[in-house]
Amino acid sequence: MQLLKDRILKDGNIAPGGVLKVDSFLNHQIDVNLLNEIGKEFKRLFSDVKVDKILTIEASGIGIACVAAQYFDVPVVFAKKAKSKNIEGGVFSSKIMSFTYGKTYDVMVSVKFLKPDENILIIDDFLASGKAIIGLVDIVKQAGANVSGVGIVIEKSFQDGGQTLRDMGINLKSLAVIKSMDDEGNLEFED
Ligand code: 5GP
């Protein structure tokens, strides 16, 4: 998605450790017009699959998923990074190792909001090692629901999450794929 790539080149900043900061337009301050174009593009890319619900993870995924959901006309469910499992009626939960914070946390979704045989599109801002998405896929499977696809705003293909998900047979679509970046500020996209 050219608009997104241009914005990453203009306003993204490379932090040490292979982290791209996009907090001026994607995950702290949010450019809603850009999110709108991102939502439309996800709809175009996943127009051939059934989507009953969009699943994402708090916090950065929520805004993206909500704007996209308007084009799919479906609800959004977000996995909570809560400490307590004290959600009425029980939860599906999975452990995720955080790439940005370097620690493991539990994510959970109430059993009320994912049902067997529902078709779930998973959306998130970044794909790095794939741990966050694998945790969400695990939760969808616990519910007996189907993963229709995974939509990612920015995939970093120099980390192995994309390969892992494709090897799992997941229908993965990323809007911008970064092949390489370095501390001197050089950043290259896949074609
Ligand atoms: P993964 O589980 O695939 O290793 O990492 C995905 C999660 O880590 C995303 O939800 C995102 O919040 C965070 N993340 C991974 N890489 C980056 C990055 O380069 N920049 C930012 N801002 N977040 C990242």
Side-chain angles (χ1 to χ4, degrees):
M1 185 183 172
Q2 198 54 46
L3 185 71
L4 174 64
K5 290 184 188 175
D6 290 346
R7 192 60 180 273
I8 292 169
L9 290 176
K10 182 167 160 276
D11 290 332
N13 291 302
I14 300 168
V19 172
L20 179 69
K21 304 284 284 182
V22 287
D23 50 5
S24 67
F25 61 96
L26 192 65
N27 56 21
H28 193 165
Q29 173 171 265
I30 297 175
D31 180 339
V32 180
N33 288 329
L34 177 66
L35 243 56
N36 207 31
E37 296 306 315
I38 286 171
K40 267 188 227 168
E41 184 65 1
F42 279 137
K43 175 64 189 172
R44 191 182 70 79
L45 292 172
F46 292 105
S47 58
D48 58 338
V49 294
K50 269 198 97 194
V51 176
D52 300 314
K53 256 174 209 175
I54 294 179
L55 175 66
T56 188
I57 184 164
E58 69 175 350
S60 309
I62 298 175
I64 300 162
C66 286
V67 174
Q70 293 184 298
Y71 290 96
F72 290 88
D73 198 18
V74 298
V76 171
V77 177
F78 65 92
K80 295 189 172 211
K81 296 174 179 170
K83 288 199 181 72
S84 115
K85 291 194 179 174
N86 190 14
I87 295 182
E88 201 187 330
V91 294
F92 304 115
S93 76
S94 192
K95 277 198 188 312
I96 292 178
M97 171 71 194
S98 165
F99 172 74
T100 34
Y101 296 107
K103 56 181 183 197
T104 300
Y105 57 94
D106 286 304
V107 290
M108 64 197 70
V109 172
S110 165
V111 297
K112 285 188 285 190
F113 302 127
L114 287 177
K115 298 292 178 198
D117 300 326
E118 278 183 331
N119 299 296
I120 310 296
L121 174 63
I122 297 174
I123 282 183
D124 200 10
D125 59 345
F126 273 91
L127 177 63
S129 71
K131 301 282 191 302
I133 298 298
I134 288 169
L136 295 181
V137 169
D138 178 34
I139 282 176
V140 172
K141 296 218 165 119
Q142 287 174 40
N146 312 309
V147 177
S148 302
V150 172
I152 297 290
V153 180
I154 303 171
E155 175 183 341
K156 297 184 293 181
S157 61
F158 56 90
Q159 294 183 254
D160 56 10
Q163 191 58 49
T164 306
L165 295 181
R166 290 185 179 98
D167 289 349
M168 288 165 70
I170 285 172
N171 177 21
L172 169 66
K173 307 254 162 85
S174 302
L175 305 188
V177 182
I178 299 174
K179 189 173 11 179
S180 63
M181 57 188 204
D182 63 28
D183 293 348
E184 274 72 60
N186 303 303
L187 188 155
E188 220 187 316
F189 292 106
E190 303 273 5
D191 294 332

